[in-house]
Amino acid sequence: MNLFSKLPIIFFFLIVSTLSSGFVTTYSFWFGSKEQMETFKLNKLEQINQRLVELQGTLNDFNRRGNELAMIREVSRLTTNRELELLAIVDADRWVYYATRAELRQNRLPESYTRFASLKGQLHNAVQGKVHYEEDVHKVHGVFPLEALKVGENRGSKHYYLYAIFSLERSWQHILYHFQQEMIKAGVFHTLFFFLAFSLLYWVIKGRINKIVFGAQTLASGDYRHRIRLQGGDEFQQIGLAIDNMAAALEKQTDQLIELAEKDALTGLYNRYKFFKLVEDQIDLHPAQPFAIFFIDLDRFKVINDTLGHDVGDKYLKVVGQRLKRVLSKGDMLSRFGGDEFCILFHDIFPVTKMERLGEQILELLREPVMIGEQSLFSGASIGVSLYPQDGRDIHELIKTADIAMYHTKNGEKNSLHFYHELFDPNDPGLLEMTAHIKQEIERGHVFAFFQPQIDTQSGNTTGYEALARMKAKDGGWLSPAQFIPIVEENGWMIQFSEVMYRNALKTYCQWVRRQQSDDVPTLSLNLSAIQLDHPRFLEKLDAILQQFPEMSRHIELEITEDILINNIEEKIAVLKALRIRGIRIALDDFGTGYSSLSYLKKIPLDRLKVDQSFVRDINQDINSNAIVETIIDMAHNLGLEVISEGVETEEQLSFLQAHNCYAVQGYLTGKPQERLP
């Protein structure tokens, strides 16, 4: 609707506002002016009466002294009053002894001055005078008695009077003009007031109507989640409430239908259709974010189903669904794919050993007996894992590759887990080419470092950088770590891969430090795998690298994971102590997600704990995550360790960590990994 279409409404409001304003202004002006005019009249009568009383006394005084000139002068002085029309000294026979009008002097006062005789007759004594206001002509007449004249020509009269006429017409016109101006101002004000009032009322009513109309249209379009939520308790609110109740009923019915369409009726988990849709959405919204698909098939479930019946089998599947929920973090997705098959999407998949731990956790949960009635049942499971985007770029490829990996497990050692390997699929020749390319890139020294800043939560200063490994594809684009890390690990190239990455990272960082020309050098964090730590020549190889950058050893921090605590812990502690002697700091990465033991934690020569991002991601959304993060920070402080939290992506997470004295943070909120240092 444009402005021209609203002109009739605007004109209507102007007309109504003007009429209302005219009525209110006239009404208020009439009563206001009447009151003010009455006040004006009374004030004028009081002023004139007071002035004539003063003049009466003065004339009597000069008369007693026989000073005629003084009397004339005093009378003449009053003529300066612009409202004075006539002032005269008159005896009882209307003979004028003195008058401001020359034509009346030494003559009788004309009969036309009827008010003189009227007022003279109202005098009750020889002292007090009388004033009278003539409404129609706006004049004031005053008659005040004087003592018998001793000056001038006395005609033998005993009664003399001071007679005055004041015209208030000019003052009256001035007041009327003032009222007219005020009335115009009041009229304009009232017109604007009523226009705005009517407009506001119109828009309030129109706004409520528009909300109802919009709510009805939204309901008709199939969106049942919208609510009008009108307040006020009037008819509009009742109409809006009726529409909201209708929408709520339809929403409930729709949700029930959606649940039937998207949820597995037996377990309440997502069904195959919904899982496909969620994974497709994940790829569309975050195409660069890697994730893993776990395809789980229960072993020997057919025996349970065939032997004990489908009712027992259904109960068994319900228990399995509930157990699988225990391994989920925020954002992960669990689905019953059909029969005895389940699928899980995991977001947090690095390092690869974390996925292996998840798989072991799932297998351990499914190994536990299930009590149904008086029977203890168990089945175990075979798991296949595919990684996005390495093993497939859409849901169909990912399910296919995870299914291939699962059947490889089932055909081999059941109740275990295997990652998809393209050799499992004879129809896909790309693995050998990718493997050869990665091997060639490592030998060429083309393992590059991206640097992600670590920020002090209190000062906002950069305290360090973590170097993250990156490799390029044949076409020059960057490969995802999910694409090259599994191949490096499976082919046993981790030692050579890490050496190349360390050298490149230290070279870039050393050049950057020299350019800074500052004594306050941020720490450089490098990841140290359990494979490296177990290598018998690890320290020798590390020393060879450090000799190339002798000034950097005191600025290096090596990040280990909780995997080192699984076996040979004493030997690994000895290596870690040797690193500390070289001035290298040690950080425990992904703390809280692995096999950590507090007793060993006291023995490991650590400088810092890194809180895993799976806990940080759920801050202020999961009370358990809040408690875990608080506990880790408090424990680290008691052990004299610094704490850094990974995966910080929101201001809410940062505020929580600041409030609980977390030393530093790292994540997309404070800085993404970059190829070049600032």
Side-chain angles (χ1 to χ4, degrees):
M1 180 180 277
N2 56 33
L3 179 62
F4 292 105
S5 63
K6 296 180 181 179
L7 285 178
I9 297 174
I10 296 173
F11 286 139
F12 173 77
F13 281 169
L14 282 175
I15 292 171
V16 174
S17 300
T18 304
L19 292 175
S20 301
S21 171
F23 173 78
V24 172
T25 303
T26 302
Y27 184 83
S28 61
F29 173 77
W30 185 76
F31 276 98
S33 63
K34 184 177 181 181
E35 182 180 348
Q36 291 198 30
M37 288 299 185
E38 187 64 24
T39 302
F40 167 77
K41 181 181 74 173
L42 293 176
N43 288 338
K44 278 298 181 181
L45 287 174
E46 180 65 25
Q47 292 174 9
I48 292 172
N49 184 74
Q50 183 65 33
R51 185 68 186 92
L52 292 178
V53 167
E54 292 174 358
L55 183 59
Q56 176 192 31
T58 302
L59 292 178
N60 283 335
D61 183 62
F62 286 140
N63 180 49
R64 294 188 203 106
R65 297 179 187 178
N67 192 340
E68 182 180 13
L69 290 176
M71 291 177 65
I72 294 172
R73 184 173 64 250
E74 192 64 22
V75 171
S76 300
R77 185 178 300 166
L78 193 60
T79 59
T80 58
N81 189 324
R82 291 190 298 175
E83 295 177 339
L84 182 66
E85 186 175 295
L86 172 65
L87 184 62
I89 299 175
V90 185
D91 66 7
D93 297 326
R94 306 174 66 88
W95 186 265
V96 179
Y97 282 84
Y98 179 81
T100 53
R101 291 185 181 179
E103 71 272 15
L104 295 178
R105 295 173 190 167
Q106 304 303 319
N107 285 310
R108 285 186 179 277
L109 189 66
E111 293 295 334
S112 58
Y113 289 89
T114 57
R115 191 60 61 185
F116 171 77
S118 173
L119 291 176
K120 184 183 70 168
Q122 296 176 26
L123 299 179
H124 300 294
N125 56 56
V127 178
Q128 292 185 349
K130 188 73 174 179
V131 293
H132 174 75
Y133 182 79
E134 288 186 297
E135 295 280 356
D136 53 340
V137 293
H138 307 300
K139 289 187 179 183
V140 177
H141 294 260
V143 177
F144 285 75
L146 296 175
E147 297 175 359
L149 292 182
K150 296 180 180 181
V151 297
E153 184 180 351
N154 191 331
R155 297 182 180 275
S157 177
K158 295 181 180 180
H159 302 286
Y160 294 87
Y161 303 93
L162 177 64
Y163 178 42
I165 302 174
F166 292 82
S167 176
L168 304 183
E169 183 67 29
R170 182 179 298 177
S171 298
W172 189 264
Q173 292 297 329
H174 177 74
I175 291 175
L176 286 177
Y177 176 79
H178 172 73
F179 275 125
Q180 289 170 355
Q181 296 299 312
E182 290 298 316
M183 186 171 68
I184 292 172
K185 293 178 182 178
V188 173
F189 171 80
H190 286 135
T191 300
L192 291 174
F193 172 81
F194 282 111
F195 180 80
L196 292 175
F198 287 136
S199 299
L200 179 61
L201 181 62
Y202 170 80
W203 288 114
V204 167
I205 294 174
K206 183 176 176 63
R208 294 170 76 79
I209 293 174
N210 284 344
K211 283 187 177 181
I212 292 173
V213 171
F214 179 77
Q217 291 174 341
T218 304
L219 182 64
S221 69
D223 182 1
Y224 306 138
R225 289 175 174 77
H226 177 75
R227 297 292 183 271
I228 300 173
R229 293 190 177 92
L230 285 180
Q231 304 296 327
D234 55 12
E235 290 76 9
F236 292 111
Q237 192 264 344
Q238 294 175 13
I239 296 172
L241 182 61
I243 295 175
D244 285 348
N245 290 338
M246 188 186 303
L250 290 171
E251 180 185 10
K252 183 178 180 180
Q253 294 175 4
T254 303
D255 289 342
Q256 291 172 347
L257 292 173
I258 291 174
E259 185 169 354
L260 290 173
E262 297 182 344
K263 294 290 184 69
D264 175 55
L266 177 63
T267 62
L269 303 175
Y270 291 134
N271 58 21
R272 178 195 297 258
Y273 161 77
K274 182 62 175 179
F275 188 76
F276 269 58
K277 187 175 185 302
L278 290 174
V279 176
E280 288 171 349
D281 291 343
Q282 169 71 24
I283 295 172
D284 290 341
L285 294 174
H286 308 287
Q289 181 178 336
F291 59 84
I293 297 290
F294 278 48
F295 197 104
I296 304 166
D297 184 88
L298 300 181
D299 297 331
R300 296 181 299 277
F301 175 75
K302 189 175 184 300
V303 176
I304 296 174
N305 222 21
D306 293 345
T307 305
L308 301 176
H310 290 282
D311 184 54
V312 174
D314 289 347
K315 292 178 181 178
Y316 189 88
L317 290 174
K318 287 182 181 180
V319 175
V320 170
Q322 292 302 312
R323 289 185 178 180
L324 290 176
K325 286 182 179 180
R326 299 180 196 173
V327 301
L328 301 181
S329 298
K330 183 176 176 57
D332 295 340
M333 306 171 195
L334 170 61
S335 162
R336 182 190 175 203
F337 223 55
D340 59 352
E341 296 175 337
F342 295 83
C343 275
I344 304 178
L345 182 150
F346 287 111
H347 285 93
D348 192 12
I349 62 174
F350 292 111
V352 174
T353 52
K354 180 179 290 187
M355 288 187 289
E356 293 173 348
R357 291 198 300 269
L358 282 171
E360 286 298 327
Q361 188 178 354
I362 292 171
L363 292 171
E364 187 65 31
L365 286 171
L366 298 182
R367 287 189 194 106
E368 295 177 6
V370 176
M371 293 299 299
I372 298 178
E374 296 181 355
Q375 300 202 29
S376 177
L377 307 175
F378 65 93
S379 66
S382 297
I383 303 175
V385 181
S386 62
L387 304 177
Y388 170 83
Q390 175 185 347
D391 300 333
R393 292 189 171 274
D394 60 44
I395 179 61
H396 301 287
E397 291 181 2
L398 291 168
I399 293 297
K400 174 187 173 184
T401 52
D403 190 44
I404 291 172
M406 185 273 295
Y407 274 105
H408 178 82
T409 304
K410 218 170 189 58
N411 293 331
E413 181 185 356
K414 292 186 178 181
N415 201 33
S416 61
L417 171 146
H418 280 90
F419 289 88
Y420 171 74
H421 194 291
E422 291 176 327
L423 286 178
F424 296 160
D425 183 5
N427 298 319
D428 191 347
L431 176 64
L432 291 177
E433 185 179 355
M434 172 67 81
T435 303
H437 170 71
I438 291 175
K439 176 64 173 175
Q440 188 179 47
E441 289 294 285
I442 294 173
E443 291 175 348
R444 290 176 176 175
H446 291 172
V447 181
F448 305 98
F450 273 41
F451 300 91
Q452 186 172 31
Q454 299 168 337
I455 306 298
D456 188 308
T457 58
Q458 304 304 320
S459 67
N461 296 329
T462 301
T463 64
Y465 291 91
E466 180 178 359
L468 302 169
R470 294 292 187 268
M471 298 187 76
K472 287 190 174 182
K474 278 189 172 183
D475 60 6
W478 293 105
L479 291 171
S480 165
Q483 293 175 280
F484 61 80
I485 291 294
I487 294 176
V488 170
E489 289 181 341
E490 289 169 10
N491 286 278
W493 301 334
M494 183 55 71
I495 300 299
Q496 185 182 1
F497 173 88
S498 298
E499 288 179 13
V500 174
M501 192 272 183
Y502 280 14
R503 282 194 175 90
N504 288 338
L506 284 167
K507 180 180 178 181
T508 301
Y509 202 71
C510 188
Q511 292 172 349
W512 178 77
V513 168
R514 289 169 182 166
R515 290 197 302 271
Q516 302 307 303
Q517 297 181 351
S518 172
D519 295 332
D520 188 14
V521 178
T523 301
L524 175 64
S525 296
L526 300 166
N527 288 288
L528 176 60
S529 68
I531 296 174
Q532 292 172 268
L533 205 57
D534 285 333
H535 196 279
R537 297 179 58 201
F538 166 67
L539 289 176
E540 178 186 340
K541 290 177 175 291
L542 181 63
D543 287 338
I545 295 173
L546 293 178
Q547 285 178 3
Q548 300 177 29
F549 311 97
E551 72 274 27
M552 288 301 298
S553 61
R554 67 181 185 276
H555 303 305
I556 294 176
E557 177 180 82
L558 293 179
E559 295 185 6
I560 60 175
T561 62
E562 296 177 356
D563 298 341
I564 70 163
L565 303 175
I566 298 175
N567 51 51
N568 300 328
I569 182 65
E570 297 299 335
E571 295 177 9
K572 292 173 181 176
I573 288 176
V575 176
L576 295 176
K577 288 181 178 179
L579 293 173
R580 290 287 295 277
I581 293 173
R582 289 165 169 77
I584 297 173
R585 292 162 55 90
I586 307 297
L588 183 56
D589 196 10
D590 300 331
F591 183 75
T593 61
Y595 299 93
S596 58
S597 166
L598 296 181
S599 61
Y600 281 126
L601 191 61
K602 294 189 297 182
K603 299 179 181 180
I604 301 174
L606 293 175
D607 298 282
R608 178 183 291 180
L609 287 184
K610 297 190 75 174
V611 182
D612 187 69
Q613 61 183 341
S614 63
F615 301 128
V616 175
R617 183 170 55 238
D618 292 341
I619 284 177
N620 291 335
Q621 298 182 21
D622 181 355
I623 191 171
N624 293 326
S625 291
N626 285 17
I628 290 171
V629 173
E630 289 181 39
T631 302
I632 292 174
I633 294 174
D634 291 341
M635 180 191 65
H637 289 164
N638 291 333
L639 293 174
L641 304 177
E642 294 176 352
V643 183
I644 181 170
S645 294
E646 299 180 290
V648 178
E649 297 182 353
T650 68
E651 292 289 348
E652 261 191 340
Q653 295 166 356
L654 177 60
S655 298
F656 178 89
L657 295 168
Q658 287 174 326
H660 290 84
N661 296 318
C662 179
Y663 169 67
V665 294
Q666 176 180 343
Y668 277 22
L669 178 66
T670 53
K672 296 181 180 181
Q674 300 291 336
E675 184 178 0
R676 291 181 175 82
L677 289 158

